[in-house]
Amino acid sequence: PLELVRVAWLVFWMHLATIAGSRRTLAGIVLAAMPPLFGLLVTRFASNDATGEAVFFLIGVLLLVQFVVPMLSVSLGVGVIADEAEARTITYPFTRPIPRPGVFLGRWLATAVVILSLLFASAIGLYVIARSTPPPLSFAEARPHIVATLVGGVVYSLGAAVIGVLFKRGLVVALGYAFVTEILVANLPGSTRVLTVQYHLRSMFIDPDSEIAKELPAVVGKFLAPGDAMTRMAIVVGILVLFGSWRVSRKQFVLSS
């Protein structure tokens, strides 16, 4: 265990320096800028009926949580191991006598730091803009939404990292799951949406009885208690960490010619 922690720590700092300046991170910055930008456009050009709470809620649900969070998290997360395989450098760390799970965890943690930093900046930017529209939105009202955004970043990025280990074309599979399965099923009526990450994220901040929530009947309904949703997501993260670590330690990476 101590060797695993040491390897993960070293890999974390090495990969953090690499991913922070990568093209995917630059694309992530563009994605993260979209919610605040849309919020600014709405507050400047929409009718006077658009309150700060409505701007934050509607853009937060339809754009930030439903699109930016999975897109940004999956795009960066899937490359945790897959990028090494595609670059044909996967054998360098895995042929040395070091624990493979340490490499997996270190690279994912570095990726998660970048993802969460971008998502936090995006959510805070949207909050600041929404707060400028009367009546002012308090941070206490926005906090559950911001927390759900960060939780989504953790779950989607870790799930994408595991998919990148399992499949050769991990990005296609991960994006297909995030947008075809997640968004489609999460917006369908019935009990099947309980199986999606989106359902649990929405459970953390949506009050289905609020007037604003009633404007989006497709994404509201009966939800879990926020604490229960958080607990389930924590269990999912634990399972993904264990499964991803086990799978990367067993997988034989074959480099194509």
Side-chain angles (χ1 to χ4, degrees):
L2 291 178
E3 178 67 10
L4 187 147
V5 172
R6 187 184 70 85
V7 169
W9 180 251
L10 292 174
V11 171
F12 168 82
W13 286 109
M14 292 172 59
H15 190 56
L16 184 61
T18 301
I19 194 173
S22 67
R23 291 182 179 178
R24 287 187 182 181
T25 299
L26 294 177
I29 293 174
V30 175
L31 281 172
M34 290 174 62
L37 179 60
F38 271 80
L40 183 63
L41 292 174
V42 170
T43 56
R44 292 294 180 269
F45 300 108
S47 65
N48 294 331
D49 296 333
T51 65
E53 182 183 5
V55 170
F56 187 80
F57 179 84
L58 296 175
I59 295 179
V61 172
L62 297 177
L63 183 58
L64 180 57
V65 171
Q66 187 167 256
F67 176 75
V68 173
V69 170
M71 184 68 177
L72 194 156
S73 303
V74 166
S75 298
L76 288 171
V78 76
V80 167
I81 295 297
D83 281 355
E84 290 279 359
E86 290 182 7
R88 301 173 62 82
T89 58
I90 193 68
T91 56
Y92 297 161
F94 285 173
T95 54
R96 285 160 174 74
I98 58 175
R100 286 186 175 191
V103 177
F104 172 75
L105 293 175
R107 288 176 64 91
W108 172 70
L109 287 172
T111 303
V113 166
V114 173
I115 291 170
L116 296 184
S117 298
L118 293 176
L119 292 178
F120 182 73
S122 182
I124 289 295
L126 178 60
Y127 163 71
V128 170
I129 290 170
R131 183 177 171 79
S132 66
T133 303
L137 179 70
S138 70
F139 185 75
E141 294 175 300
R143 183 171 54 210
H145 198 143
I146 296 173
V147 170
T149 298
L150 299 179
V151 171
V154 171
V155 177
Y156 280 119
S157 65
L158 184 53
V162 174
I163 289 175
V165 174
L166 296 175
F167 300 98
K168 187 174 181 180
R169 303 296 181 187
L171 181 59
V172 176
V173 176
L175 287 175
Y177 168 77
F179 289 101
V180 177
T181 303
E182 276 281 314
I183 294 179
L184 177 63
V185 175
N187 291 327
L188 289 176
S191 59
T192 53
R193 58 182 180 176
V194 178
L195 302 174
T196 66
V197 176
Q198 284 289 316
Y199 171 82
H200 292 81
L201 298 182
R202 293 170 186 174
S203 294
M204 296 177 191
F205 67 90
I206 289 182
D207 177 7
D209 296 324
S210 68
E211 291 300 321
I212 298 176
K214 292 177 181 178
E215 297 180 16
L216 293 175
V219 300
V220 299
K222 293 183 178 180
F223 288 104
L224 298 171
D228 292 340
M230 182 72 76
T231 300
R232 291 190 182 186
M233 289 295 93
I235 293 172
V236 169
V237 168
I239 292 173
L240 288 174
V241 166
L242 293 175
F243 178 74
S245 299
W246 171 80
R247 191 67 189 93
V248 80
S249 66
R250 300 279 183 171
K251 186 178 178 66
Q252 296 296 321
F253 291 92
V254 179
L255 302 181
S256 58
S257 56

